[in-house]
Amino acid sequence: MMVFTVGISTALQNCTAFKSCLTYGTKTTPDMKSSFLQTALFALLLVAFQDLSRSQKDQSFNDAADLNLPEPYDIGWMKSIDNNKFISDITVPGTHDTMALHWGSFVECQAWSLETQLKAGIRYLDLRVKMWNKELKLVHGYFSQHITLPEVLSIIQTFLKDYVSEAILVRVKLENVTQKQDAKNLIESFLKDNPDIETWDKSNVPSMGDVRGKIVFIQKEEFTLGIPIHGTDASEDYKVRKIDEKKEKIKNHLKKAGEMCGNGEVILTYSSGTGLPNMALTLTPKVIAQKINPWLNEYLNHDNLKNIPCFGVIAMDFPGFDLIKRVIGLNKLKPVVLGRVGSNLSPNFKDS
């Protein structure tokens, strides 16, 4: 980076000198022209090198809407999980406020669409729902995200038909204080009318073999469909004043998650946050994710975490491929050869 800065500085100095000669009529020699052209070429090469380096840098953070899957990238990564392993014993990459894609910097928490998040490896979805005119609409706070819960569930089911080895954990948070029971009834009615959407809505924790190809509902607070989840964060932990303080909170939450995971309950840790409640107006969810995600990617690779069997769900804002792969890698998965005798996959499993 220092070489790049020096190169640009030298080019600008030479360019300024050369321009001054032209402007004020000073005679320019062939040596001056040659020096300027060489330095300008050097600076351009450094810019190209920096662009190449940027394309190869850590991809823990993503704020681009398009999906460019790196090679190799296994979309159906859950096929390597043993059928007998409980969902509560798996480390799962997730997104916080999964559908918060609109309305600007203090509202948006993701760049990828739902379909793209699923293809990138996300397997936990955090859905905030309000009931408006007897419709269940996805929101972030007061801001509609222009999609309904039935539409979201249909998108998930379409993905699961293509990748039948996978299971998608779905937490529905009902935002209407006075209409939560009505919203729950609408969800149950929709599922009853659409039996092709396969779900797990029981309270007991299933094994991986129980839920391949299914939506696994997570119950918390007033939403009582599905399996319980335990959050590691306190109610105010999403409020960020300083990035270093947020990092320490995440460390503590992951420590707690590692201690609790594997005890029959799904554990949830958030790496996301916002500075808005503290009037830290420069700390938007995206700015925080830009700083937290690369750090989290490195932190999860520490040797002292490698002997911890699982961490549960890690829900993130603006995750990129490297961070998602890091979270998946915590499961220490071994490739499964399909069709082999003694395969740990269910008999009706087929590769996608």
Side-chain angles (χ1 to χ4, degrees), residues 12 38 64 70 92-93 115 135 140 153-154 162 180 201 208-209 225 227 246 252 266 276 282 290 292 300 311 320 338:
L12 288 174
Q38 288 175 4
V92 179
E115 297 97 324
E135 270 196 314
H140 184 185
L153 296 177
S154 296
D162 291 335
K180 289 184 176 179
D201 56 11
M208 190 69 228
L225 289 177
I227 59 180
K246 180 64 178 177
N252 292 333
V266 177
L276 184 59
T282 58
Q290 280 178 309
I292 289 293
L300 292 174
F311 291 92
L338 300 177

Side-chain angles (χ1 to χ4, degrees), residues 3 81 103 152 167 170 181 209 220 279 313 323 326 332 347 351:
V3 174
I81 297 175
W103 293 101
V152 167
V170 173
Q181 186 58 46
K220 192 172 174 66
M279 298 306 292
V313 175
L323 182 54
R326 179 77 71 199
K332 304 176 183 66
D351 193 14

Side-chain angles (χ1 to χ4, degrees), residues 14 24 76 161 166 220 230 259 328 341:
N14 284 341
Y24 297 107
K161 285 180 179 177
E166 308 306 284
K220 192 172 174 66
H230 179 86
E259 293 168 351
I328 294 171
V341 176

Side-chain angles (χ1 to χ4, degrees), residues 130-144:
K130 277 187 178 179
M131 191 170 74
W132 285 336
N133 298 323
K134 295 187 178 181
E135 270 196 314
L136 298 170
K137 296 193 175 182
L138 273 292
V139 298
H140 184 185
Y142 295 103
F143 297 91
S144 170

Side-chain angles (χ1 to χ4, degrees), residues 15 191 296:
C15 181
L191 294 173
L296 181 59

Side-chain angles (χ1 to χ4, degrees), residues 58-233:
D58 177 275
Q59 295 186 53
S60 301
F61 167 84
N62 171 75
D63 62 350
D66 57 320
L67 177 68
N68 295 302
L69 288 171
E71 293 292 342
Y73 199 82
D74 189 4
I75 293 177
W77 63 268
M78 283 183 146
K79 62 175 169 282
S80 296
I81 297 175
D82 192 293
N83 265 351
N84 297 317
K85 195 163 192 173
F86 287 106
I87 288 292
S88 55
D89 298 346
I90 301 169
T91 302
V92 179
T95 45
H96 154 258
D97 244 309
T98 299
M99 300 307 299
L101 301 167
H102 307 286
W103 293 101
S105 58
F106 271 105
V107 179
E108 295 168 12
C109 298
Q110 310 300 331
W112 282 330
S113 68
L114 176 56
E115 297 97 324
T116 301
Q117 290 182 41
L118 294 172
K119 288 181 179 179
I122 295 298
R123 296 294 177 266
Y124 169 88
L125 309 178
D126 173 24
L127 306 179
R128 313 297 175 95
V129 177
K130 277 187 178 179
M131 191 170 74
W132 285 336
N133 298 323
K134 295 187 178 181
E135 270 196 314
L136 298 170
K137 296 193 175 182
L138 273 292
V139 298
H140 184 185
Y142 295 103
F143 297 91
S144 170
Q145 297 302 311
H146 313 304
I147 193 169
T148 66
L149 182 61
E151 290 170 333
V152 167
L153 296 177
S154 296
I155 291 170
I156 300 170
Q157 185 61 29
T158 297
F159 173 82
L160 290 171
K161 285 180 179 177
D162 291 335
Y163 299 94
V164 296
S165 62
E166 308 306 284
I168 310 299
L169 281 61
V170 173
R171 179 198 174 186
V172 177
K173 184 177 181 183
L174 303 173
E175 301 282 15
N176 298 56
V177 176
T178 60
Q179 296 178 306
K180 289 184 176 179
Q181 186 58 46
D182 291 339
K184 179 175 175 289
N185 292 339
L186 273 178
I187 294 170
E188 290 176 330
S189 177
F190 170 77
L191 294 173
K192 185 178 180 180
D193 293 340
N194 293 271
D196 57 316
I197 297 181
E198 297 187 61
T199 63
W200 181 275
D201 56 11
K202 303 173 187 176
S203 59
N204 58 303
V205 177
S207 67
M208 190 69 228
D210 292 327
V211 293
R212 292 193 191 277
K214 293 181 181 179
I215 295 169
V216 180
F217 280 115
I218 302 294
Q219 63 165 288
K220 192 172 174 66
E221 299 165 348
E222 289 83 357
F223 186 78
T224 55
L225 289 177
I227 59 180
I229 194 167
H230 179 86
T232 58
D233 59 324

